Each structure stands twice: as structure tokens, then as C-alpha cells.
């Protein structure tokens, strides 16, 4: 496996950065998780826009244009002979001293691109649907670390994931600072009730897969809205599913012990999944 590290391709064992990197010391940096299918990078521009927005707020300069980053991603896929891959782009603050102050860092961000294969959940969960719970760990307050930042500080989500795992669940709903349903630890959430699709509007990472699903809904004339959602509305929904680059689209059939709809993946969920799959095979940046 060859890894892109600051403009060069190196073997996995040589892909190392300093222990003084503030990404390691403080989670000071940003990242993206991207997928390619059938030699097409899905929604590459959208992922790069989100990455550069995160870096803008963090005031980290990767010293690469989006175009150069895009080329580096494609090169990483080609050099590793991957037609279907999960791509992790990491931009960390770079080396500094042991203090917090980013001004004392060298100003040279570390840019890393790893391309590999992953499947997040067992295949049968996609067919049967998943059971999830709500965890007591609240999603970051938008005035603290805005959930829209895809920063290297993922402790909020990791604490949620640990809580879910301790109770035997793979994934969990996190509420926002006002008690509304926000999202899951690494996925956005959707419900469908009486033909109407809804997804939370606040306290979330604006998922690229979430937007792809909203676009499919618009094209297929399925009414869809971004709004505030309560747990009650999730419990009484006809269908529920999660979206994420890693997870793709996964049906949810039970939440906090409440059966959702018929307890099997819903028909609109399946319709959306099918179209999503079709688009991933035919849309994207060719390499
Ligand atoms: N919400 C959060 C908090 C995320 O981290 C999503 C939603 C989905 O966004 P996209 O753009 O991917 O549709 C994410 C992204 C993992 C893992 O191992 C998950 C993400 C990132 C990195 C790792 O579960 N999810």
C-alpha cells in the first residue's frame, strides 16, 4: 500500500509524522472520508469543498489548491490499483511545541491521503435493517466545536460510539444541545412518515450522502424537508435509515426498543438505496 504524504508516495511503514504534530497532540486538523466506485470518485468536489471550509475555519493552509488535492487523490487511487475504495484525506496543523498555540507551529500542515477498502457494517444488516439506541452523550454545541466541522477532534462522536457499544449497539442517535435528534455518531439520519421524508436541520455534519439522498428525493418527487425532529417522531415513523460515505444507506428497524414501521426495511428506503447505488456506479470524477 502506497500512502500520499506531503507530495510523495511512501510505503505504509514509512508513512509517519512527528509526535509533535498538533493533529496528534490536540486533534488539530481536518479530514474527509470519500468513496470511489467503478473508477469514479463520488462527489469529489463536494468533499473537497467541505474539507477546505473546515480548514478555513481552523485557519490551516494545506498549501495545495483544491485542484491539486483532487489530482493527489486520483494519483493515490491509481498507484494503489483501486477501482472501489474508501479514501481518507487528513490535513493536520503540523509540528509545533507542547503548547496549544497554533501560531507556534511550523506552518507546514501535514497532508496525508490513504486509500483502502472498508465495509462498515456486516452485509446482513443492510438487508435486515439495524437496531440503534439514543445515547446520553449530547452532540457538540454549535458554539463550541460546530458539528459542521469535520475536524480531527472526534471525541464527541467516539464517546457516543463507546456508549452505544457498551449497550451492544453498532450505531446510536445523538441529540443536539436542545434535545432534538441531531445525527448518529458517524451517519446522518432520515425518517419517512406518510410519504414525507425528513432529516434534522441542526446540530449535524452536513453529510455529502445526506445531500445525495435529498437530491434523489427531489428527482423522484418524494417530498423531503430539513427540520427539527424529536425522538417521538422517529419512534412513530414508517421508515428510518442512516446515510454516510462509509455506511452508504442503511435501513433502521428499531430505535430505543421501538419497532419502526413494519420492522423491516421500508419501500422508499429501498427505492432510494437502489438509485443511490446506480448513481455511485455512473457519476463522479473518472480515473
Ligand atoms: N455525521 C457525522 C458525525 C459523520 O462523521 C456523517 C454524518 C456522514 O457524512 P458523509 O459526508 O460521509 O455522508 C459523518 C461521516 C466511521 C466514520 O468510521 C464515519 C464518518 C467519518 C469517518 C469515519 O464510522 N462519517
Amino acid at each position: 500500500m502506497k500512502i500520499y504524504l506531503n507530495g510523495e508516495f511512501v510505503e505504509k511503514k514509512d508513512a509517519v509524522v512527528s509526535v509533535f504534530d498538533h493533529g496528534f497532540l490536540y486533534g488539530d486538523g481536518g479530514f474527509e472520508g470519500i468513496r470511489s466506485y467503478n473508477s469514479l470518485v463520488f462527489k469529489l468536489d463536494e468533499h473537497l469543498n467541505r474539507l477546505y471550509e473546515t480548514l478555513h475555519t481552523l485557519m490551516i493552509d494545506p498549501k495545495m489548491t483544491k485542484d491539486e488535492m483532487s489530482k493527489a487523490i486520483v494519483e493515490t487511487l491509481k498507484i494503489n490499483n483501486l477501482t472501489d475504495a474508501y479514501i481518507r484525506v487528513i490535513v493536520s496543523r503540523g509540528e509545533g511545541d507542547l503548547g496549544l498555540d497554533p501560531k507556534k507551529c511550523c506552518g507546514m500542515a501535514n497532508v496525508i491521503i490513504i486509500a483502502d477498502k472498508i465495509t462498515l457494517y456486516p452485509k446482513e444488516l443492510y438487508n435486515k435493517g439495524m437496531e440503534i439506541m439514543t445515547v446520553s452523550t449530547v452532540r457538540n454545541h454549535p458554539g463550541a466545536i460546530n458539528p459542521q466541522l469535520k475536524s480531527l477532534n472526534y471525541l464527541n462522536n467516539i464517546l457516543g460510539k463507546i456508549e452505544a457499544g457498551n449497550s451492544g449497539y453498532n450505531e446510536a442517535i445523538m441529540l443536539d444541545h436542545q434535545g432534538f435528534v441531531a445525527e448518529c455518531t458517524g451517519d446522518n439520519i432520515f425518517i419517512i412518515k406518510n410519504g414525507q421524508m425528513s432529516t434534522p436541520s441542526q446540530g449535524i455534519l452536513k453529510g455529502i450522502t445526506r445531500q445525495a439522498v435529498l437530491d434523489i428525493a427531489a428527482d423522484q418527487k418524494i417530498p423531503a424537508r430539513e427540520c427539527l425532529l424529536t425522538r417521538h417522531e422517529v419512534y412513530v415513523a414508517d421508515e428510518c435509515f442512516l446515510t454516510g460515505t462509509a455506511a452508504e444507506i442503511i435501513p433502521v428497524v428499531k430505535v430505543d426498543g421501538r419497532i419502526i414501521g413494519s420492522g423491516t426495511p421500508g419501500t422508499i428506503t429501498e427505492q432510494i438505496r437502489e438509485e443511490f447505488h446506480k448513481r455511485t456506479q455512473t457519476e463522479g470524477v473518472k480515473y
Side-chain angles (χ1 to χ4, degrees):
M1 181 195 286
K2 290 249 193 287
I3 290 165
Y4 176 97
L5 175 63
N6 298 326
E8 285 172 36
F9 287 101
V10 296
E11 285 300 329
K12 184 175 170 178
K13 66 171 175 33
D14 302 319
V16 290
V17 295
S18 165
V19 292
F20 285 90
D21 186 308
H22 277 211
F24 177 69
L25 287 175
Y26 296 116
D28 186 358
F31 79 101
E32 273 301 317
I34 309 171
R35 262 190 199 267
S36 73
Y37 303 85
N38 191 26
S39 297
L40 294 160
V41 189
F42 191 61
K43 304 284 180 195
L44 181 55
D45 289 349
E46 288 81 350
H47 282 285
L48 290 179
N49 288 340
R50 186 171 67 183
L51 175 65
Y52 277 70
E53 285 185 5
T54 292
L55 297 177
H56 177 74
T57 290
L58 297 180
M59 301 185 84
I60 293 176
D61 179 2
K63 299 203 165 62
M64 285 172 86
T65 63
K66 282 184 213 172
D67 207 38
E68 288 165 340
M69 187 70 83
S70 166
K71 288 196 173 103
I73 290 169
V74 163
E75 280 311 303
T76 309
L77 289 162
K78 280 189 181 163
I79 208 166
N80 286 292
N81 285 317
L82 290 163
T83 56
D84 296 80
Y86 180 75
I87 304 139
R88 175 64 52 91
V89 182
I90 303 146
V91 182
S92 69
R93 176 80 59 191
E95 259 186 76
D97 63 16
L98 291 177
L100 270 182
D101 193 354
K103 285 202 296 294
K104 293 191 183 150
C105 291
C106 64
M108 288 306 296
N110 278 312
V111 179
I112 298 158
I113 305 168
I114 308 168
D116 203 355
K117 300 216 166 257
I118 59 158
T119 28
L120 200 61
Y121 301 121
K123 200 157 183 227
E124 80 215 40
L125 275 187
Y126 288 84
N127 301 327
K128 261 185 18 202
M130 184 180 208
E131 298 183 15
I132 61 173
M133 67 177 287
T134 307
V135 286
S136 63
T137 307
V138 169
R139 193 75 177 92
N140 281 331
H141 189 292
I145 302 174
N146 193 315
Q148 289 193 45
L149 293 176
K150 207 162 167 63
S151 84
L152 293 181
N153 186 325
Y154 246 55
L155 278 180
N156 181 219
N157 314 62
I158 289 166
L159 288 172
K161 195 96 181 170
I162 288 171
E163 218 184 314
N166 286 346
S167 296
Y169 291 89
N170 286 313
E171 188 47 295
I173 291 177
M174 299 181 80
L175 305 179
D176 72 10
H177 61 292
Q178 295 176 324
F180 293 102
V181 170
E183 59 183 336
C184 291
T185 67
D187 304 300
N188 291 112
I189 186 164
F190 282 78
I191 61 166
I192 296 154
K193 177 78 170 175
N194 299 328
Q196 162 85 57
M197 185 185 283
S198 308
T199 192
S201 53
Q202 69 173 29
I204 59 163
L205 179 80
K206 294 265 174 77
I208 309 295
T209 320
R210 172 183 179 273
Q211 189 56 52
V213 165
L214 289 171
D215 293 345
I216 291 172
D219 292 346
Q220 298 200 341
K221 310 273 184 290
I222 300 165
R225 60 179 181 178
E226 299 170 61
C227 58
L228 296 175
L229 280 184
T230 61
R231 278 195 290 170
H232 172 69
E233 286 164 298
V234 176
Y235 298 158
V236 301
D238 300 325
E239 301 184 29
C240 178
F241 62 88
L242 311 182
T243 64
T245 300
E248 301 173 303
I249 297 175
I250 185 155
V252 170
V253 292
K254 208 189 246 189
V255 179
D256 296 333
R258 279 77 163 184
I259 292 168
I260 306 302
S262 62
T264 55
T267 50
I268 297 176
T269 303
E270 290 308 292
Q271 182 187 329
I272 298 274
R273 266 185 75 198
E274 195 185 314
E275 178 60 21
F276 178 78
H277 179 70
K278 218 180 270 171
R279 292 187 183 193
T280 59
Q281 293 299 315
T282 52
E283 292 178 12
V285 174
K286 182 100 196 114
Y287 61 93

